[in-house]
Amino acid sequence: MSNPTKPLLTARYGIAESWKIANAERAGAYQVAKRALTSIEPAKLKDEVKNANIRGRGGAGFPAGVKWGFLNPGPNDQVYLVINADESEPGTFKDRSIMDLDPHRLIEGAIISCYAIGSHVAYIYVRGELASSVTRLEDAIADARKAGYLGARPFGVDHEIEIHVHTGAGAYICGEETALLNSLEGRRGEPRLKPPFPAVKGVFGMPTIVNNVETIAVVPDVIDMGGDAWSALSRLPADGGVRLYGVSGHVRNPGLFEAPVGITMRELIYDYAGGMLAGRPLKAVIPGGSSTPVLDPRRLVDAPGEDQPLHAWHGKSEIDVPMGVDTYRALGTMLGTCCAIVMDDTVNMVEACRNLMRFYKHESCGQCTPCREGTGWLVDVLNNLCAGRGKPEDVDLLVDISNNMMGNTICAFADGTAMPLLGFVQKFRDEFIDAAHNGLPSDVRHDHSVRREVEKVA
Amino acid sequence: MAFALTPEGEREVDELLTRYPERRASLLPVLWLCQRQNGWISSEVVDYVSQRLDLSTATVRGVVTFYTMFFEEPVGENVVWVCRTLSCDLRGGKAIQDHLENKLGCTAGHTSSDGKFTLLKAECLAACGQAPMVQINDRYYENLDVEILDRIIEAHVTRGAEAAADEFSTHATFGAPSKAPISTAPPPPSPEAVRLASQPPPAPEPVGDES
Ligand SMILES: Cc1cc2nc3c(=O)[nH]c(=O)nc-3n(C[C@H](O)[C@H](O)[C@H](O)COP(=O)(O)O)c2cc1C
Ligand code: FES
């Protein structure tokens, strides 16, 4: 096992009724916020966050401290903190655990963050489906207010802070930060052109910091330990701390794990998640949500040059590269939300790809033609391949459509559709060509490995 | 018949309006209040909301149609969303949907003939580690198999949604190991071994240049 550190982010997850304020406080909640607001300068708090090298946990991996540094509010500007709890990227289920099992950590992080960036109002945008998480959050906020940690004078300090939960209503695109801002303003969740970036002109036309739930939830630990010390928990440079790793699919113990940044996918699957379900080899793993290109354990890192970022792993399997924002980018994929979807050898990659592309077709907001038309076209071509109506040229057509979607739209949704498609085709081309010749078998489905248990067949 | 919120709902709207610097921002929460009371967003609801928030009906309708959770037509007493995105499908999402269709006697997108259940397909609901799962009304039911699912559906019929939720619905969990059998398959061999097994190292592949 990979010398697991003392749990931080999940330290209170195991406590009975951990979401109640008394139980959370008995385990240390709000101590750091109290200290921060009563005895630390906002500028110093921002420095610690910068030193912590927190790479945004929402998928793009942008350094939180750098983002906070973009704020430059005018004298009449109201600065907003918006916490992204839309969690809709297929395969991703980590932020929900923070809201359900330790909402006070998120609130404490929000209080410290608001104070640091000079904000008086934070909105937590939660996807509409997570109604029970919303209830826990709202109860927790009410209790924190009663305790005097929110409101006009949190901890007796003259810096008003209010936190409101805003509930979405079913739309993946609202996780994209500018779509989220539109949705928060009561509009259709259509992404905005950037620039201006939210830090300059965000919600209600005001400077806004948008961060993921987990990004904000680590702030109390960062301030408690100091940014440098927290950063050093990671195994990688410039990508600090610990984070939540999720594993779903064909592993023995699907679920969430806390570990340092930089464990490998092999460790995640075989040490943390208990290895593969009975009798089946690992075929492929989508590393960090459906928009991140798939990894193939048979493929080896090809970085012979000493100046290549992955040289240290030259000749090793893709799943032996440490999981970090920069290492995974160098590998041609993305760390994304760090929630892996694991597939065994019963899964047909064309069908897996089609499942995800149907998702993107369903969720495209329709503003930009390449995305609206491209997602539909990809599904049409994949449907033809699966039904045995395809031709080998269709495989190149998929690539062509994807290449014409990337970089040609307002937001990154189209890239997040095209990149995984290209990954599937590039790494499992044989299966696509085979489908073009033969279609898919009529019993193709993803759940052969578990079907007897789910259907309770004796 | 014209729609109006209950007096309590009205008070909630007043409170919601204080949360945002712009009136319009309370549109989604107000629509939620209305849907909870009315079951769906009828054109009477749209009229009411547009007057209450000073927006055109076209604006309100444009928002309603954007979001999948606002119902534009009446639904059954309970709404069952079955997740069919990849992580759930890997763990039996299709088996769950098939079972529900048989049990409720309607396919996804439809309401059972007794009006008790509307069955809808959902995209990933952020519960992938506890797949397969369904959402019924506003609660999650996870780590399903067909037997548990039968009990959940029966409970909704015989004891009502609230009692069913109290007994069966789930939150996020952490660190509860599953009962699944340990893999007898070894981890993928070390990379060196793979290469020996006549697997050439991948050439750098410029995406799109392949023929
Ligand atoms: C299509 C799309 C969907 C996204 N969904 C989410 C989401 O559900 N949650 C999230 O935190 N970030 C999501 N993001 C990323 C956000 O735009 C933004 O980068 C993030 O919330 C910033 O927070 P961070 O820097 O703390 O990660 C999405 C981005 C795109 C393009
Ligand atoms: S795929 Fe079903 S909850 Fe994520």
Side-chain angles (χ1 to χ4, degrees):
Chain A
M1 190 90 180
S2 31
N3 52 32
T5 40
K6 187 165 95 34
L8 291 169
L9 196 43
T10 57
R12 295 198 287 262
Y13 276 22
I15 297 176
E17 299 196 304
S18 53
W19 53 90
K20 299 214 165 137
I21 192 165
N23 302 336
E25 285 207 275
R26 223 169 290 130
Y30 295 108
Q31 295 298 324
V32 186
K34 181 176 180 187
R35 189 147 49 84
L37 267 66
T38 54
S39 67
I40 310 180
E41 287 299 311
K44 169 84 172 133
L45 295 172
K46 279 199 277 194
D47 281 345
E48 296 297 349
V49 167
K50 198 159 190 179
N51 295 341
N53 289 311
I54 312 169
R55 306 297 288 265
R57 302 310 198 219
F62 195 81
V66 176
K67 187 186 284 185
W68 289 15
F70 291 154
L71 278 176
N72 184 17
N76 298 320
D77 283 350
Q78 161 93 269
V79 175
Y80 289 102
L81 174 66
V82 172
I83 299 173
N84 192 340
D86 194 56
E87 185 144 85
S88 308
E89 169 89 0
T92 307
F93 55 98
K94 64 187 184 66
D95 299 334
R96 176 181 174 225
S97 75
I98 296 174
M99 296 185 279
D100 279 10
L101 299 177
D102 200 357
H104 291 287
R105 183 178 302 274
L106 179 60
I107 296 166
E108 183 172 13
I111 293 170
I112 300 168
S113 303
C114 278
Y115 186 66
I117 64 175
S119 168
H120 297 285
V121 181
Y123 295 104
I124 307 178
Y125 185 102
V126 187
R127 65 179 296 180
E129 293 87 345
L130 289 178
S132 52
S133 307
V134 166
T135 308
R136 286 222 172 142
L137 266 182
E138 284 183 335
D139 290 349
I141 289 169
D143 287 342
R145 185 175 290 121
K146 249 184 262 154
Y149 308 154
L150 291 169
R153 293 178 55 81
F155 304 99
V157 173
D158 197 15
H159 182 102
E160 179 175 4
I161 297 174
E162 293 294 348
I163 302 178
H164 302 297
V165 177
H166 188 94
T167 308
Y172 165 65
I173 192 59
C174 289
E176 196 281 338
E177 56 185 9
T178 60
L180 186 153
L181 298 179
N182 272 340
S183 184
L184 180 51
E185 290 180 2
R187 297 168 203 282
R188 293 163 69 86
E190 286 163 350
R192 302 174 179 173
L193 274 169
K194 293 189 262 192
F197 288 91
V200 176
K201 191 164 184 268
V203 74
F204 310 121
M206 292 291 161
T208 303
I209 292 296
V210 184
N211 273 132
N212 172 260
V213 166
E214 187 186 343
T215 308
I216 296 297
V218 301
V219 168
D221 291 330
V222 165
I223 302 304
D224 190 33
M225 296 177 64
D228 289 325
W230 189 84
S231 182
L233 295 170
S234 160
R235 298 189 192 168
L236 293 173
D239 191 344
V242 293
R243 61 185 300 162
L244 291 176
Y245 292 77
V247 188
S248 65
H250 293 151
V251 291
R252 180 169 173 257
N253 291 329
L256 285 169
F257 309 94
E258 174 178 337
V261 169
I263 65 167
T264 66
M265 185 61 82
R266 189 189 296 274
E267 287 174 279
L268 182 61
I269 295 173
Y270 291 94
D271 294 348
Y272 288 85
M276 300 297 289
L277 277 177
R280 293 291 180 188
L282 170 67
K283 179 171 183 180
V285 51
I286 299 172
S290 60
S291 299
T292 62
V294 63
L295 299 179
D296 173 352
R298 294 167 311 171
R299 283 171 65 111
L300 309 180
V301 175
D302 184 43
E306 284 190 7
D307 55 340
Q308 287 177 278
L310 296 185
H311 180 66
W313 299 277
H314 177 62
K316 293 198 167 181
S317 163
E318 291 190 334
I319 65 168
D320 289 312
V321 173
M323 301 174 70
V325 175
D326 302 319
T327 47
Y328 263 36
R329 198 165 290 156
L331 191 59
T333 183
M334 280 174 66
L335 187 59
T337 59
C338 212
C339 287
I341 306 173
V342 176
M343 294 174 272
D344 69 21
D345 68 337
T346 63
V347 180
N348 179 290
M349 288 297 127
V350 185
E351 184 61 23
C353 178
R354 177 165 74 144
N355 179 297
L356 294 178
M357 293 303 131
R358 274 198 300 239
F359 167 84
Y360 290 107
K361 176 187 175 181
H362 184 258
E363 298 296 333
S364 172
C365 85
Q367 270 193 118
C368 310
T369 310
C371 177
R372 183 187 63 241
E373 301 301 319
T375 51
W377 196 0
L378 289 174
V379 171
D380 288 347
V381 175
L382 286 164
N383 282 344
N384 283 341
L385 285 178
C386 293
R389 297 188 301 261
K391 323 179 272 305
E393 302 88 89
D394 286 344
V395 182
D396 296 318
L397 180 58
L398 290 172
V399 171
D400 206 33
I401 298 168
S402 302
N403 281 334
N404 281 295
M405 291 169 68
M406 287 205 290
N408 289 331
T409 53
I410 290 175
C411 85
F413 180 105
D415 294 65
T417 308
M419 284 185 313
L421 182 124
L422 292 170
F424 277 114
V425 174
Q426 190 183 11
K427 295 186 176 174
F428 297 95
R429 192 175 176 85
D430 293 356
E431 283 182 43
F432 285 80
I433 296 291
D434 189 53
H437 288 300
N438 304 313
L440 296 191
S442 58
D443 69 338
V444 70
R445 48 194 290 160
H446 303 297
D447 58 354
H448 290 292
S449 320
V450 298
R451 192 171 167 189
R452 295 174 67 84
E453 281 134 64
V454 173
E455 292 182 348
K456 288 282 174 188
V457 180
Chain B
M1 210 175 68
F3 172 85
L5 278 174
T6 60
E8 198 202 336
E10 284 294 335
R11 276 194 298 280
E12 281 192 59
V13 175
D14 289 334
E15 192 277 324
L16 282 169
L17 288 167
T18 67
R19 296 186 180 188
Y20 311 93
E22 290 175 8
R23 204 173 169 81
R24 174 173 186 159
S26 52
L27 178 51
L28 262 63
V30 171
L31 284 168
W32 271 121
L33 276 176
C34 296
Q35 177 156 299
R36 240 166 262 139
Q37 183 180 317
N38 193 58
W40 62 295
I41 307 290
S42 61
S43 30
E44 290 80 10
V45 169
V46 171
D47 289 340
Y48 165 80
V49 172
S50 61
Q51 279 163 27
R52 187 72 166 85
L53 298 182
D54 240 340
L55 298 166
S56 73
T57 52
T59 300
V60 176
R61 216 175 274 284
V63 168
V64 170
T65 54
F66 189 85
Y67 298 93
T68 51
M69 297 185 81
F70 292 136
F71 300 125
E72 293 162 62
E73 45 190 275
V75 288
E77 218 172 286
N78 301 284
V79 179
V80 183
W81 301 86
V82 52
C83 179
R84 289 299 311 276
T85 312
L86 188 56
S87 298
C88 277
D89 258 24
L90 293 171
R91 302 291 301 206
K94 177 162 169 47
I96 295 296
Q97 182 181 340
D98 289 347
H99 189 74
L100 279 168
E101 291 187 341
N102 277 331
K103 188 165 180 75
L104 304 179
C106 66
T107 53
H110 297 92
T111 300
S112 60
S113 56
D114 59 5
K116 284 221 178 297
F117 296 93
T118 296
L119 179 61
L120 298 170
K121 263 165 67 162
E123 297 294 354
C124 179
L125 291 167
C128 329
Q130 293 164 237
M133 60 84 63
V134 298
Q135 178 186 346
I136 305 182
N137 307 320
D138 59 1
R139 298 294 202 96
Y140 282 15
Y141 300 84
E142 301 167 270
N143 286 318
L144 296 176
D145 60 43
V146 294
E147 285 176 12
I148 305 169
L149 187 59
D150 281 343
R151 283 160 55 201
I152 294 168
I153 296 292
E154 298 302 336
H156 277 81
V157 175
T158 55
R159 288 184 281 141
E162 211 167 309
D166 285 347
E167 182 168 353
F168 292 105
S169 78
T170 40
H171 284 92
T173 58
F174 185 68
S178 81
K179 314 175 290 292
I182 296 186
S183 173
T184 51
S190 76
E192 292 71 19
V194 177
R195 185 177 282 170
L196 287 175
S198 83
Q199 231 257 321
E205 295 174 60
V207 168
D209 284 358
E210 309 180 328
S211 54

Short mmCIF file of all heavy atoms in Angstrom, two decimals, chain A residues 199-241:
data_model
loop_
_atom_site.label_atom_id
_atom_site.label_comp_id
_atom_site.label_asym_id
_atom_site.label_seq_id
_atom_site.Cartn_x
_atom_site.Cartn_y
_atom_site.Cartn_z
N ALA A 199 -13.36 36.46 -12.79
CA ALA A 199 -12.67 37.25 -11.76
C ALA A 199 -12.76 38.74 -12.06
O ALA A 199 -12.65 39.58 -11.16
CB ALA A 199 -11.20 36.83 -11.65
N VAL A 200 -13.00 39.07 -13.32
CA VAL A 200 -13.15 40.48 -13.70
C VAL A 200 -14.64 40.85 -13.73
O VAL A 200 -15.06 41.85 -13.16
CB VAL A 200 -12.50 40.72 -15.08
CG1 VAL A 200 -12.74 42.15 -15.55
CG2 VAL A 200 -11.01 40.41 -15.01
N LYS A 201 -15.42 40.02 -14.42
CA LYS A 201 -16.85 40.31 -14.53
C LYS A 201 -17.58 38.97 -14.46
O LYS A 201 -17.62 38.22 -15.43
CB LYS A 201 -17.10 40.99 -15.89
CG LYS A 201 -18.48 41.59 -16.05
CD LYS A 201 -18.46 42.57 -17.24
CE LYS A 201 -19.78 43.28 -17.41
NZ LYS A 201 -20.70 42.60 -18.32
N GLY A 202 -18.09 38.68 -13.29
CA GLY A 202 -18.73 37.38 -13.08
C GLY A 202 -20.21 37.51 -12.84
O GLY A 202 -20.93 38.06 -13.67
N VAL A 203 -20.66 37.03 -11.69
CA VAL A 203 -22.10 37.04 -11.44
C VAL A 203 -22.57 38.46 -11.15
O VAL A 203 -21.86 39.24 -10.50
CB VAL A 203 -22.47 36.04 -10.32
CG1 VAL A 203 -22.07 36.54 -8.94
CG2 VAL A 203 -23.96 35.71 -10.37
N PHE A 204 -23.71 38.82 -11.64
CA PHE A 204 -24.28 40.17 -11.50
C PHE A 204 -23.29 41.25 -11.93
O PHE A 204 -23.27 42.36 -11.40
CB PHE A 204 -24.74 40.41 -10.05
CG PHE A 204 -25.62 39.30 -9.51
CD1 PHE A 204 -25.26 38.58 -8.37
CD2 PHE A 204 -26.80 38.96 -10.16
CE1 PHE A 204 -26.06 37.56 -7.89
CE2 PHE A 204 -27.62 37.93 -9.68
CZ PHE A 204 -27.24 37.22 -8.54
N GLY A 205 -22.45 40.89 -12.90
CA GLY A 205 -21.50 41.84 -13.44
C GLY A 205 -20.34 42.17 -12.51
O GLY A 205 -19.56 43.10 -12.78
N MET A 206 -20.19 41.41 -11.45
CA MET A 206 -19.19 41.72 -10.43
C MET A 206 -18.04 40.71 -10.43
O MET A 206 -18.21 39.57 -10.87
CB MET A 206 -19.86 41.71 -9.05
CG MET A 206 -20.85 42.83 -8.85
SD MET A 206 -19.95 44.40 -8.76
CE MET A 206 -21.28 45.54 -9.10
N PRO A 207 -16.88 41.12 -9.90
CA PRO A 207 -15.75 40.19 -9.82
C PRO A 207 -16.13 38.96 -9.01
O PRO A 207 -16.64 39.08 -7.90
CB PRO A 207 -14.67 40.99 -9.09
CG PRO A 207 -15.15 42.40 -9.02
CD PRO A 207 -16.59 42.43 -9.32
N THR A 208 -15.85 37.78 -9.57
CA THR A 208 -16.35 36.54 -8.97
C THR A 208 -15.27 35.46 -9.03
O THR A 208 -14.64 35.29 -10.07
CB THR A 208 -17.60 36.05 -9.75
OG1 THR A 208 -18.58 37.08 -9.74
CG2 THR A 208 -18.17 34.79 -9.14
N ILE A 209 -15.09 34.79 -7.92
CA ILE A 209 -14.22 33.62 -7.93
C ILE A 209 -15.10 32.38 -7.96
O ILE A 209 -15.96 32.20 -7.08
CB ILE A 209 -13.32 33.58 -6.67
CG1 ILE A 209 -12.29 34.71 -6.72
CG2 ILE A 209 -12.63 32.23 -6.53
CD1 ILE A 209 -11.30 34.61 -7.86
N VAL A 210 -14.92 31.55 -8.97
CA VAL A 210 -15.64 30.28 -9.04
C VAL A 210 -14.66 29.17 -8.70
O VAL A 210 -13.62 29.03 -9.35
CB VAL A 210 -16.23 30.02 -10.44
CG1 VAL A 210 -17.05 28.74 -10.44
CG2 VAL A 210 -17.07 31.20 -10.91
N ASN A 211 -14.96 28.43 -7.66
CA ASN A 211 -14.14 27.28 -7.31
C ASN A 211 -15.01 26.06 -7.03
O ASN A 211 -16.14 26.18 -6.58
CB ASN A 211 -13.30 27.55 -6.05
CG ASN A 211 -11.97 28.23 -6.35
OD1 ASN A 211 -11.62 29.22 -5.71
ND2 ASN A 211 -11.23 27.72 -7.32
N ASN A 212 -14.41 24.92 -7.26
CA ASN A 212 -15.06 23.65 -6.99
C ASN A 212 -15.22 23.42 -5.47
O ASN A 212 -14.45 23.97 -4.67
CB ASN A 212 -14.19 22.54 -7.62
CG ASN A 212 -14.65 21.16 -7.25
OD1 ASN A 212 -14.09 20.51 -6.37
ND2 ASN A 212 -15.69 20.70 -7.90
N VAL A 213 -16.17 22.61 -5.10
CA VAL A 213 -16.42 22.28 -3.69
C VAL A 213 -15.15 21.79 -2.98
O VAL A 213 -14.80 22.27 -1.90
CB VAL A 213 -17.50 21.16 -3.59
CG1 VAL A 213 -17.55 20.56 -2.20
CG2 VAL A 213 -18.86 21.70 -3.98
N GLU A 214 -14.46 20.85 -3.62
CA GLU A 214 -13.29 20.27 -2.95
C GLU A 214 -12.17 21.31 -2.83
O GLU A 214 -11.44 21.32 -1.83
CB GLU A 214 -12.82 19.03 -3.73
CG GLU A 214 -11.70 18.26 -3.03
CD GLU A 214 -11.14 17.11 -3.87
OE1 GLU A 214 -11.81 16.69 -4.84
OE2 GLU A 214 -10.03 16.65 -3.56
N THR A 215 -12.04 22.16 -3.82
CA THR A 215 -11.02 23.21 -3.76
C THR A 215 -11.23 24.06 -2.50
O THR A 215 -10.27 24.38 -1.78
CB THR A 215 -11.10 24.12 -5.01
OG1 THR A 215 -11.08 23.31 -6.18
CG2 THR A 215 -9.95 25.11 -5.05
N ILE A 216 -12.47 24.44 -2.25
CA ILE A 216 -12.77 25.28 -1.09
C ILE A 216 -12.67 24.46 0.20
O ILE A 216 -12.23 24.95 1.24
CB ILE A 216 -14.17 25.92 -1.23
CG1 ILE A 216 -14.20 26.86 -2.44
CG2 ILE A 216 -14.57 26.68 0.04
CD1 ILE A 216 -13.26 28.05 -2.35
N ALA A 217 -13.03 23.18 0.12
CA ALA A 217 -13.04 22.35 1.33
C ALA A 217 -11.63 22.06 1.85
O ALA A 217 -11.48 21.69 3.01
CB ALA A 217 -13.78 21.04 1.05
N VAL A 218 -10.61 22.21 1.02
CA VAL A 218 -9.25 21.96 1.53
C VAL A 218 -8.66 23.21 2.19
O VAL A 218 -7.63 23.13 2.86
CB VAL A 218 -8.27 21.44 0.45
CG1 VAL A 218 -8.79 20.14 -0.14
CG2 VAL A 218 -7.98 22.46 -0.62
N VAL A 219 -9.31 24.35 2.01
CA VAL A 219 -8.73 25.60 2.53
C VAL A 219 -8.48 25.57 4.04
O VAL A 219 -7.41 26.00 4.49
CB VAL A 219 -9.58 26.81 2.09
CG1 VAL A 219 -9.18 28.07 2.83
CG2 VAL A 219 -9.43 27.03 0.58
N PRO A 220 -9.41 25.04 4.85
CA PRO A 220 -9.10 25.00 6.29
C PRO A 220 -7.80 24.24 6.60
O PRO A 220 -7.00 24.70 7.43
CB PRO A 220 -10.32 24.29 6.89
CG PRO A 220 -11.44 24.59 5.95
CD PRO A 220 -10.80 24.61 4.59
N ASP A 221 -7.57 23.11 5.94
CA ASP A 221 -6.33 22.37 6.19
C ASP A 221 -5.10 23.15 5.73
O ASP A 221 -4.06 23.12 6.37
CB ASP A 221 -6.35 21.02 5.46
CG ASP A 221 -7.37 20.07 6.07
OD1 ASP A 221 -7.62 20.17 7.28
OD2 ASP A 221 -7.91 19.24 5.31
N VAL A 222 -5.26 23.84 4.61
CA VAL A 222 -4.15 24.64 4.08
C VAL A 222 -3.75 25.72 5.09
O VAL A 222 -2.57 25.92 5.38
CB VAL A 222 -4.54 25.27 2.73
CG1 VAL A 222 -3.58 26.38 2.33
CG2 VAL A 222 -4.60 24.20 1.65
N ILE A 223 -4.75 26.39 5.63
CA ILE A 223 -4.45 27.46 6.59
C ILE A 223 -3.92 26.87 7.89
O ILE A 223 -3.01 27.41 8.52
CB ILE A 223 -5.71 28.32 6.84
CG1 ILE A 223 -6.22 28.91 5.51
CG2 ILE A 223 -5.43 29.42 7.85
CD1 ILE A 223 -5.21 29.73 4.73
N ASP A 224 -4.47 25.75 8.28
CA ASP A 224 -4.05 25.12 9.53
C ASP A 224 -2.59 24.67 9.47
O ASP A 224 -1.80 24.95 10.36
CB ASP A 224 -4.96 23.91 9.80
CG ASP A 224 -4.74 23.34 11.19
OD1 ASP A 224 -4.45 24.14 12.11
OD2 ASP A 224 -4.87 22.11 11.37
N MET A 225 -2.22 24.00 8.38
CA MET A 225 -0.86 23.45 8.27
C MET A 225 0.13 24.46 7.72
O MET A 225 1.33 24.29 7.87
CB MET A 225 -0.86 22.25 7.32
CG MET A 225 -1.68 21.08 7.79
SD MET A 225 -1.68 19.75 6.55
CE MET A 225 0.06 19.30 6.53
N GLY A 226 -0.37 25.46 7.03
CA GLY A 226 0.50 26.34 6.25
C GLY A 226 0.57 25.79 4.83
O GLY A 226 0.63 24.57 4.63
N GLY A 227 0.57 26.70 3.87
CA GLY A 227 0.51 26.29 2.47
C GLY A 227 1.65 25.37 2.05
O GLY A 227 1.43 24.36 1.38
N ASP A 228 2.86 25.70 2.46
CA ASP A 228 4.00 24.88 2.03
C ASP A 228 3.90 23.45 2.56
O ASP A 228 4.14 22.49 1.83
CB ASP A 228 5.32 25.51 2.50
CG ASP A 228 5.63 26.78 1.73
OD1 ASP A 228 5.31 26.84 0.52
OD2 ASP A 228 6.18 27.73 2.34
N ALA A 229 3.55 23.34 3.84
CA ALA A 229 3.47 22.01 4.44
C ALA A 229 2.36 21.19 3.78
O ALA A 229 2.52 20.00 3.51
CB ALA A 229 3.23 22.12 5.94
N TRP A 230 1.23 21.84 3.52
CA TRP A 230 0.13 21.12 2.89
C TRP A 230 0.53 20.69 1.48
O TRP A 230 0.31 19.54 1.09
CB TRP A 230 -1.13 21.99 2.85
CG TRP A 230 -2.36 21.24 2.41
CD1 TRP A 230 -3.18 20.49 3.20
CD2 TRP A 230 -2.89 21.16 1.08
NE1 TRP A 230 -4.19 19.95 2.44
CE2 TRP A 230 -4.04 20.35 1.14
CE3 TRP A 230 -2.51 21.71 -0.15
CZ2 TRP A 230 -4.82 20.06 0.01
CZ3 TRP A 230 -3.28 21.42 -1.27
CH2 TRP A 230 -4.42 20.61 -1.19
N SER A 231 1.16 21.60 0.75
CA SER A 231 1.59 21.27 -0.60
C SER A 231 2.51 20.06 -0.60
O SER A 231 2.42 19.19 -1.46
CB SER A 231 2.30 22.47 -1.23
OG SER A 231 2.69 22.17 -2.55
N ALA A 232 3.38 20.01 0.42
CA ALA A 232 4.39 18.94 0.46
C ALA A 232 3.79 17.56 0.74
O ALA A 232 4.49 16.55 0.64
CB ALA A 232 5.44 19.26 1.51
N LEU A 233 2.52 17.49 1.06
CA LEU A 233 1.88 16.18 1.22
C LEU A 233 1.83 15.45 -0.12
O LEU A 233 1.72 14.23 -0.18
CB LEU A 233 0.45 16.34 1.74
CG LEU A 233 0.29 16.92 3.15
CD1 LEU A 233 -1.18 17.25 3.41
CD2 LEU A 233 0.82 15.93 4.18
N SER A 234 1.88 16.22 -1.20
CA SER A 234 1.81 15.64 -2.53
C SER A 234 3.13 14.96 -2.90
O SER A 234 4.18 15.28 -2.37
CB SER A 234 1.51 16.76 -3.53
OG SER A 234 1.87 16.37 -4.84
N ARG A 235 3.04 14.05 -3.85
CA ARG A 235 4.26 13.43 -4.36
C ARG A 235 4.79 14.15 -5.59
O ARG A 235 5.77 13.72 -6.19
CB ARG A 235 3.98 11.99 -4.76
CG ARG A 235 3.53 11.11 -3.62
CD ARG A 235 3.50 9.69 -4.13
NE ARG A 235 2.81 8.81 -3.20
CZ ARG A 235 2.45 7.57 -3.50
NH1 ARG A 235 2.71 7.10 -4.71
NH2 ARG A 235 1.84 6.82 -2.64
N LEU A 236 4.09 15.19 -6.02
CA LEU A 236 4.47 15.87 -7.25
C LEU A 236 4.77 17.34 -6.98
O LEU A 236 4.24 17.91 -6.03
CB LEU A 236 3.34 15.77 -8.27
CG LEU A 236 3.03 14.38 -8.82
CD1 LEU A 236 1.79 14.41 -9.68
CD2 LEU A 236 4.22 13.84 -9.61
N PRO A 237 5.58 17.96 -7.82
CA PRO A 237 5.82 19.39 -7.68
C PRO A 237 4.67 20.19 -8.28
O PRO A 237 4.00 19.73 -9.20
CB PRO A 237 7.10 19.61 -8.51
CG PRO A 237 7.08 18.52 -9.53
CD PRO A 237 6.37 17.35 -8.91
N ALA A 238 4.45 21.37 -7.75
CA ALA A 238 3.47 22.33 -8.31
C ALA A 238 2.06 21.77 -8.43
O ALA A 238 1.27 22.21 -9.26
CB ALA A 238 3.94 22.83 -9.69
N ASP A 239 1.77 20.79 -7.63
CA ASP A 239 0.44 20.17 -7.65
C ASP A 239 0.26 19.58 -6.26
O ASP A 239 0.60 18.43 -6.00
CB ASP A 239 0.40 19.09 -8.73
CG ASP A 239 -1.00 18.58 -9.01
OD1 ASP A 239 -1.91 18.81 -8.19
OD2 ASP A 239 -1.18 17.92 -10.05
N GLY A 240 -0.25 20.43 -5.35
CA GLY A 240 -0.06 20.12 -3.94
C GLY A 240 -1.14 19.31 -3.27
O GLY A 240 -2.24 19.15 -3.78
N GLY A 241 -0.76 18.76 -2.11
CA GLY A 241 -1.73 18.27 -1.15
C GLY A 241 -2.26 16.88 -1.37
O GLY A 241 -1.68 16.04 -2.04
#
